[in-house]
Amino acid sequence: QVQLVESGGGLVQAGGSLRLSCAASERTFSTYVMGWFRQAPGKEREFVAAISSSGSTTRYADSVKGRSTISRDYAKNTVDLQMNSLKPEDTAVYYCAATRSSTSASYSIPARYDYWGQGTQVTVSS
């Protein structure tokens, strides 16, 4: 059972930056594909970014591409999401997720992920 704990959310002005972090409890962290998703009020959960178990492959949603970077630290068992040039439409609860069974073509599918964190709120003011 993998436990995921997100941190780093908060209130930021449009144009600002935030760095979200997800800490994983599992010692086999390096075998998991890690993803970030978000969910705004009244909307479905949507894909933000993902990184392969080796770290060699990353995927981004078009809405954040060029403004966000996903990375992972195997020594710390963490995966971070650096978000820049934030917009009010980035406001949502951000979730970290993990799976062992996913190909890069399906990184964006929430149902492919087996473990989820509790989420961290990101609010971007205009």
Side-chain angles (χ1 to χ4, degrees):
Q1 185 80 10
V2 180
Q3 293 184 332
L4 303 172
V5 180
E6 302 96 335
S7 61
L11 174 64
V12 63
Q13 288 188 335
S17 298
L18 278 177
R19 189 175 185 88
L20 306 183
S21 187
C22 173
S25 63
E26 178 59 48
R27 62 181 177 86
T28 59
F29 169 74
S30 63
T31 65
Y32 287 85
V33 170
M34 301 299 296
W36 283 97
F37 291 78
R38 66 186 183 187
Q39 189 166 18
K43 296 187 176 181
E44 292 187 354
R45 191 167 297 189
E46 65 173 4
F47 171 72
V48 177
I51 187 167
S52 63
S53 57
S54 67
S56 60
T57 301
T58 57
R59 293 287 185 267
Y60 296 93
D62 288 343
S63 58
V64 303
K65 195 173 294 182
R67 301 189 293 123
S68 298
T69 303
I70 188 170
S71 60
R72 62 193 302 167
D73 185 325
Y74 296 95
K76 297 180 179 179
N77 279 10
T78 58
V79 58
D80 290 353
L81 181 67
Q82 176 69 42
M83 299 189 296
N84 303 320
S85 302
L86 284 162
K87 306 174 183 179
E89 50 264 45
D90 293 318
T91 295
V93 177
Y94 283 71
Y95 297 91
C96 175
T99 180
R100 276 179 168 159
S101 57
S102 184
T103 61
S104 60
S106 59
Y107 282 178
S108 63
I109 303 173
R112 294 289 189 174
Y113 291 79
D114 303 306
Y115 304 102
W116 293 83
Q118 83 289 348
T120 186
Q121 177 72 47
V122 171
T123 302
V124 184
S125 63
S126 57

